[in-house]
Amino acid sequence: MSIWWSLHLRREAASVPLARRLLIGTMETAGVDPDISYDLSLALTEACANAVEHGGDAAPGASQAYRVTAYLDGEKCRIEVADSGPGLPRAQDFEPARADAEHGRGLCLIQELTDHLHIGAKPGLGGTVVSFDKILKWTRDPSLLTA
């Protein structure tokens, strides 16, 4: 059996810990190694913080929400965070922030914590989709994930 969930969240700072807690709880229940859970939860926190800060505009009718979807399937966890913001000009080419920068390090941190990072535009719509995945390690038999 695979585990997946999707949340439609308001672009508010209070939504970030909710997504993080749900991910940690899911991985803990499934028996994922705590170090892997921590890495993925920190990466999710960064992606959600970006969606809250940059994922929309103040124009009337603009979406004030973003979506988080997590898939635990077999040996891999994939997470997607999609917003309705203006998008990134060249989403695949981002420059690492300086070590002493106060902003702009989130995508680089996600890249370091996960096995694969992809940043793209939402098909046919404005906005950005940040997806990342990581190979899972287990603390016990992942009985929730076996068919």
Side-chain angles (χ1 to χ4, degrees):
M1 167 173 53
S2 297
I3 299 172
W4 72 270
W5 50 260
S6 187
L7 298 172
H8 187 81
L9 300 165
R10 293 181 59 87
R11 284 186 42 246
E12 297 173 350
S15 68
V16 177
L18 172 64
R20 182 178 176 142
R21 281 192 296 262
L22 183 57
L23 179 66
I24 289 171
T26 301
M27 291 189 295
E28 183 178 276
T29 301
V32 175
D33 178 84
D35 291 336
I36 300 295
S37 296
Y38 179 79
D39 287 352
L40 284 167
S41 69
L42 185 54
L44 175 63
T45 298
E46 292 296 329
C48 289
N50 282 346
V52 168
E53 186 172 348
H54 306 292
D57 61 33
S63 175
Q64 294 302 311
Y66 67 102
R67 187 187 77 240
V68 176
T69 306
Y71 309 87
L72 277 79
D73 192 18
E75 297 297 316
K76 181 168 53 171
C77 178
R78 170 173 222 110
I79 298 172
E80 295 177 359
V81 177
D83 65 46
S84 299
L88 297 170
R90 293 183 65 191
Q92 295 293 60
D93 301 325
F94 62 91
E95 290 292 321
R98 291 186 1 225
D100 61 346
E102 290 188 32
H103 299 286
R105 297 182 308 208
L107 292 175
C108 294
L109 184 57
I110 295 169
Q111 188 171 40
E112 291 297 316
L113 292 168
T114 62
D115 296 326
H116 179 260
L117 169 64
H118 177 23
I119 305 160
K122 286 170 54 176
L125 304 169
T128 301
V129 178
V130 174
S131 64
F132 48 92
D133 55 55
K134 189 166 183 84
I135 300 298
L136 299 174
K137 294 179 187 169
W138 307 98
T139 58
R140 62 182 187 270
D141 177 33
S143 58
L144 289 177
L145 298 177
T146 57

